[in-house]
Amino acid sequence: MKLFELTLPPWYSNAVVRHITFGILVGFTLSVTSTSISSYWRSRRLQSISQEQQKSRPIELRSNEVVYGVTGLIGNTPLVRIDSLSDALGVEILGKAEFLNPGGSVKDRVALRIIEDAERRGLLHPHTGSRIFEGTVGSTGISIATIAKARGYDTTIIMPDDVALEKVNALQALGAGVQRVRPASIVDKKQYVNIARRAAIEFGRSDIGKGLEEAHKSHELHTGSASVVVTTTSSHVSAEGSTDDPLDEDLLSKPRGFFADQFENRSNFEAHYDGTGPEIWRQTNSHVDAFVSGAGTGGTIAGIGRFLKSMDEEVQVVLADPEGSGLYNKVKHGVLYDRREAEGTKRRHQVDTVVEGIGINRMTNNIDLAIPIIDDAFRITDVEAVAMSRYLVQNDGLFLGSSSACNLVACIKFVKKRGWRDGQTLVTILCDSGNRHYSKFWNDDYLRKANIPVDRSIIDDLIAQPAGSGV
C-alpha cells in the first residue's frame, strides 16, 4: 500500500496537465517580455531626453524675439532641478530661478506690477517728476529703483540700518534716495514703512509758507484703496482730497508722491497669481505635488499657492519660516507669536534672524490671503540656512541668498515628514543670489561673532534622517 498515493479526479489527465503547464509558461513569458519591452522603451526615452537636454541651451533662443527695455527681462525665469537634493531624496526639487531677473530677485515682478497697476489706474504718470516711496529691507527697493528709472520716476527707499550693506550700495548706484533708520515696531511712527508712507504724503504738501486757506487743502488723491497713497503737488485740490481728472492738465502734469506699500498692496499677490504661478504650472507640465516658500510680505506664497491650488486642490503649500518670525506659530497654532520676542535678545529687526527678506510678526493683507491655503510649516534655523547655502555651492555650484537656502531646507523637511521618495515634484523659489549677502550671511567672520556655526554636514544629516521623522 502506498502511503502517499494521490487520487486524481477522473477528468484529470496528462493532457490537462500539459495544457495548464503550457498556459502558465506562455503567460509568464508574455509578462516578462512585455515588462522588458516597456523597460527598454522607457530607458530609450530617458536616454533620448537626457541627450537632448545636453545638446540644447538652458534657455531656448527663438528667432525674431526681442524684448523691449529692462522690464521685458522680468519673469519667464527657468525652473532648475536641484540635482544634489533631488538625487539624494528620490524626488524632483525644482527651483524657480528668480535671481535671474534684471533686478536680481523675485521682487522685480512685484515692483513692475505695482507700478503698472498705478499707471493703469491713472495714479502715476511717467516723466512728470513723480517719486515712488517704499519701506523695504532691500530687494523690493532695488526692484522699484530699477523699474522706476526705466519708466521715468524717482525713488526714495526707507530701510532698517541693520540690513546688508550691499543692498544700500545697489540702491545708491541706481540713483535712489536712501534713508536708513533705526529698527522699530510697526506701531512706532518711526518704523521704516510708516516713514515711507508719511514721506509720500509730505511730498504733495504745498502749504508751507502759504496762507491758512491753502493749508487746509488735502493733496491726497482718492485711490480707492486704504493701502495706496498718492499725493500731488498740483494746486487743483480740495479739502476732502481730489479725484484724478483726465481733462485737468495741471493735475496730470505735476509731480506726485506714490507710496507703493508692498505689504498691503494687492498688486503684490496678483503679480504671482497672474504670472509666477502660471509659469510654474506650464514648466512642470501641470504636475506639482508641493510648493514651498518663505513669506515676508506674503505675496509670493499667497499668489503662487492660490493659483496652483486652483489648478489642483491636492497641491501642498508649505511655509519656510526663519527664526524670530511668528508665521510658523500662526499656521501651526493660530497665534502670531515667537518666543524670541519675549526674551529681549534680538540681534536685528524685522525678525531675529540672519536671514533677510522673509519672516514677519504682523498680519498684512497679503499674509491674510496666504494663511488659509498653507498646509504645513517648518521652522528653519539660522544654522540650517547657512549650512544649506554652503552645501549648494559645494554640490551644485549654486550661489544663493539666505531665503533661498531656507526654502530648500524646508523642502527636505517636508519630504522626510511625508516619506516621499517616488519622484514627487516640489517647486520652490530661489529668491536672490548670494551677491547681496557678502557682509552678513556669506561672511564667516560675521557669523562667528553671531555664534552661528558654518557646517554643511548638517544638510547631510538632514538627508540621512529616516522617512516619517519630524526633522
Side-chain angles (χ1 to χ4, degrees), residues 287-291 314-317 414 420 423-427:
H287 181 72
V288 178
D289 293 298
F291 172 64
E314 296 301 315
V315 174
Q316 296 292 291
V317 176
F414 183 71
W420 285 359
Q424 290 89 343
T425 299
L426 295 87
V427 176

Side-chain angles (χ1 to χ4, degrees), residues 17-30:
V17 172
R18 285 197 303 273
H19 290 154
I20 292 175
T21 303
F22 180 73
I24 291 172
L25 287 173
V26 170
F28 177 76
T29 302
L30 288 174

Side-chain angles (χ1 to χ4, degrees), residues 383-419:
V383 174
E384 290 169 334
V386 169
M388 175 59 78
S389 67
R390 275 61 175 180
Y391 179 93
L392 292 168
V393 165
Q394 179 68 24
N395 293 280
D396 300 273
L398 287 170
F399 179 52
L400 300 175
S402 54
S403 53
S404 304
C406 278
N407 289 343
L408 289 167
V409 174
C411 286
I412 296 177
K413 293 189 174 188
F414 183 71
V415 167
K416 288 297 181 179
K417 180 177 179 179
R418 285 301 186 96

